[in-house]
């Protein structure tokens, strides 16, 4: 019996599954071969198609017993998929960020007292777990499928900490606050101010973490290498932290000062402020007429984003954006407003330099041609000398700008699947930007997700 005329075989991606197709039922039914012979013929047929592993004997017997009860195409062989390794991880034994209690809706309760994580000498801070290599699989051809090995975690023991290699653990070697800055665990001293900053306390510049149990009025500065925790209000002040910033009452800046966190920023509201965080920004209430930028994400839990600009590397989530007065509101995904303006200015400068290089090149060619034919006057010789020097300077600057263009192109490759999530209302006169692309929304939309992918903006309803 020629089984090639009766059956056909297809396989899935990575050849993990093989399916048997019945293409000529009458040819099979006309066969009078014994069952054991047919089984062997079917196995030889599979082997002819290089199917070696995971052959389903029960399916073969079902075909022999009563082919009419078999639903074709039928899974005839099944490989074993590889099990990828697990990435390395860090198990923190203590809190490493200021903690504020969440209510049942997972919203910050700013009425609760902030808990500052501190440790004592000899206290264990974290344990580092190695990645696993995973387990190899095998496809239906009997070929080994290699697993993807887990990636090691990058974490270093910083100031006032000790790494014990046998335990793969990090311990505190001094009193202080635990801070995680740039993948480095540190125990930093804590400087505490028991009241609002005034002329008596002055501004603060501290090589550690700072706790202020009051307000920071306009004109004051607070700089800290670690985290900054402020239990009151920030008004038009300059606040800079190498770690995270926590402001319980909120930010009312009146367009003055700036707040910059190396890691995260958490606050109640932002009004007319300039705020930046290297990773996440979390706001309980509203962001109004402010310039807010985060390296990863912005979450405005139950308030509005009205006016100004908000920028995030990956995602922005809020209740409403814009308002009924159609206040212009700008949203930047992937790059901030400042970065976009820099790119536009770079584009203008690049085109200007190209034009200047072209003109200088033409001038040089004319002068050199004249020099060969009839010679140059002293004035023309000086002009050629200046032209040569200026051309080299312009070409070097053009090369530098070309490298910036390459960086912009890399950004476009990484800008897929960024999103803005609006749990309430998206109002007209809201404009979104991502790289060189933009879109202005001119109608009210409710409960939508705006995605940027494949160099365009798409609006989808929230599930």
């Amino acid at each position: 019996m020629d089984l090639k005329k009766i059956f056909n075989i297809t396989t899935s991606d990575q050849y993990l599954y093989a399916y048997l197709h019945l293409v000529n039922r009458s040819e099979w039914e006309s066969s009078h071969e014994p069952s054991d012979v047919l089984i062997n013929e079917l196995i030889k047929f599979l082997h002819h198609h290089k199917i070696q592993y995971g052959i389903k004997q029960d399916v073969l017997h079902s075909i022999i017993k009563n082919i009419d009860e078999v639903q074709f195409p039928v899974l005839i062989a099944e490989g074993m998929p590889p099990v990828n390794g697990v990435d390395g991880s860090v198990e923190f034994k203590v809190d490493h960020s200021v903690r504020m209690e969440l209510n049942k809706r997972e919203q910050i309760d700013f009425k609760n007292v902030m808990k500052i994580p501190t440790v004592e000498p000899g206290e264990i801070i974290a344990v580092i777990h190695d990645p696993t290599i995973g387990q190899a699989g095998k496809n239906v051809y009997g070929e080994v499928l290699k697993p993807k090995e887990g990636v090691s975690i990058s974490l270093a023991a910083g100031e006032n900490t000790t790494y014990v290699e046998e335990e793969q653990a990090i311990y505190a070697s001094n009193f202080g606050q635990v801070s995680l800055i740039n993948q480095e665990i540190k125990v930093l001293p804590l400087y505490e101010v028991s009241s609002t900053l005034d002329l008596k306390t002055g501004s603060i510049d501290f090589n550690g973490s700072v706790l202020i149990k009051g307000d920071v009025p306009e004109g004051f500065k607070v700089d800290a290498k670690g985290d900054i925790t402020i239990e009151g209000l920030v008004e038009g002040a300059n606040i800079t932290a190498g770690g995270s910033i926590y402001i319980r009452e909120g930010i009312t800046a009146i367009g003055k000062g700036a707040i910059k966190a190396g890691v995260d920023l958490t606050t109640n509201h932002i009004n007319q402020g300039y705020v930046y965080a290297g990773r996440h920004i979390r706001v309980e209430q509203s962001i109004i007429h402010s310039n807010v930028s985060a390296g990863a994400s912005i979450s405005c839990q139950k308030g509005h984003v009205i006016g100004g600009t908000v920028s995030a590397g990956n995602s922005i989530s809020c209740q409403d954006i814009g308002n009924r007065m159609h206040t212009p509101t700008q949203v930047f995904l992937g790059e901030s407003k400042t970065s976009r303006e820099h790119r536009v200015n770079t584009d203008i400068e690049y085109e200007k330099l190209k034009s200047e290089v072209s003109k200088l090149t033409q001038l040089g060619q004319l002068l050199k041609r004249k020099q060969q034919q009839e010679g140059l006057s002293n004035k023309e010789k000086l002009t050629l000398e200046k032209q040569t020097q200026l051309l080299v300077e312009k070409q070097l600057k053009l090369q530098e700008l070309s490298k910036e263009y390459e960086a912009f192109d890399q950004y476009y490759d990484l800008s897929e699947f960024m999103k803005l999530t609006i749990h309430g209302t998206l109002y007209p006169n809201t404009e979104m930007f991502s790289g060189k692309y933009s879109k202005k929304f001119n109608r009210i939309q409710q409960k939508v997700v705006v995605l940027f992918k494949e160099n365009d903006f798409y609006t989808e309803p929230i599930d």
Side-chain angles (χ1 to χ4, degrees), residues 4 8-11 14-19 41-55 76-79 138-144:
K4 295 177 185 178
N8 187 24
I9 289 178
T10 60
T11 55
Q14 294 188 319
Y15 312 113
L16 276 173
Y17 305 100
Y19 297 91
E41 289 295 322
L42 279 170
I43 292 175
K44 288 180 182 178
F45 175 74
L46 294 175
H47 287 173
H48 175 76
H49 285 81
K50 300 182 180 180
I51 307 299
Q52 305 287 337
Y53 180 81
I55 296 173
I76 198 66
E78 182 176 0
K138 190 177 288 188
N139 62 26
V140 294
Y141 295 150
E143 299 168 338
V144 174

Side-chain angles (χ1 to χ4, degrees), residues 334-344 408:
E335 66 174 350
S336 66
K337 181 181 179 181
T338 303
S339 298
R340 180 183 174 86
E341 290 173 349
H342 173 66
R343 180 172 49 77
V344 172
F408 292 145

Side-chain angles (χ1 to χ4, degrees), residues 13 58 97 156 186 260 266 283 304 309 345 362 393 445:
D13 292 341
D58 57 332
S97 61
K186 302 179 180 181
K260 299 178 182 180
T266 303
V283 181
H304 310 273
T309 65
N345 291 334
Q362 291 175 14
E393 292 175 359
Q445 299 185 59

Side-chain angles (χ1 to χ4, degrees), residues 192-261:
E192 184 174 322
V193 179
S194 59
S195 62
T196 294
L197 294 192
D198 54 23
L199 294 176
K200 185 178 179 180
T201 61
S203 294
I204 298 171
D205 187 351
F206 188 61
N207 187 28
S209 295
V210 174
L211 168 63
I212 299 172
K213 295 185 175 181
D215 302 333
V216 180
E218 178 185 332
F220 283 86
K221 294 182 179 180
V222 180
D223 290 322
K225 189 174 182 180
D227 299 335
I228 296 176
T229 302
I230 300 168
E231 294 190 352
L233 185 71
V234 173
E235 306 168 328
N238 287 284
I239 313 291
T240 305
S244 296
I245 296 176
Y246 308 86
I247 303 171
R248 180 175 178 179
E249 295 298 330
I251 301 164
T252 303
I254 323 173
K256 299 179 180 179
I259 299 174
K260 299 178 182 180

Side-chain angles (χ1 to χ4, degrees), residues 314-357:
N314 297 325
S315 65
I316 298 173
S317 174
C318 62
Q319 186 66 22
D320 300 331
I321 190 157
N323 61 5
R324 295 176 183 175
M325 302 296 292
H326 299 179
T327 300
T329 305
Q330 295 182 325
V331 178
F332 292 80
L333 288 175
E335 66 174 350
S336 66
K337 181 181 179 181
T338 303
S339 298
R340 180 183 174 86
E341 290 173 349
H342 173 66
R343 180 172 49 77
V344 172
N345 291 334
T346 299
D347 187 42
I348 295 171
E349 187 179 359
Y350 183 80
E351 294 301 323
K352 181 181 176 181
L353 272 173
K354 281 176 63 178
S355 176
E356 291 175 353
V357 167

Side-chain angles (χ1 to χ4, degrees), residues 5 12 42 49 76 108 128 150 171 177 186 222 234 259 283-284 288 308 345 365 380 387 393 426 436 459:
K5 297 179 181 179
S12 66
L42 279 170
H49 285 81
I76 198 66
I108 300 171
I128 300 173
Y171 286 84
Q177 179 185 355
K186 302 179 180 181
V222 180
V234 173
I259 299 174
V283 181
E284 171 75 356
I288 300 174
N345 291 334
Q365 291 171 346
E380 287 172 333
Q387 176 271 340
E393 292 175 359
L426 170 61
K436 60 185 178 182
T459 304

Side-chain angles (χ1 to χ4, degrees), residues 154-159 161 170 179-186:
S154 175
L155 187 68
E159 295 176 42
T161 65
I170 296 175
S179 293
L180 177 60
I181 303 172
N182 296 328
Q183 296 303 109
E184 186 176 28
I185 290 182
K186 302 179 180 181

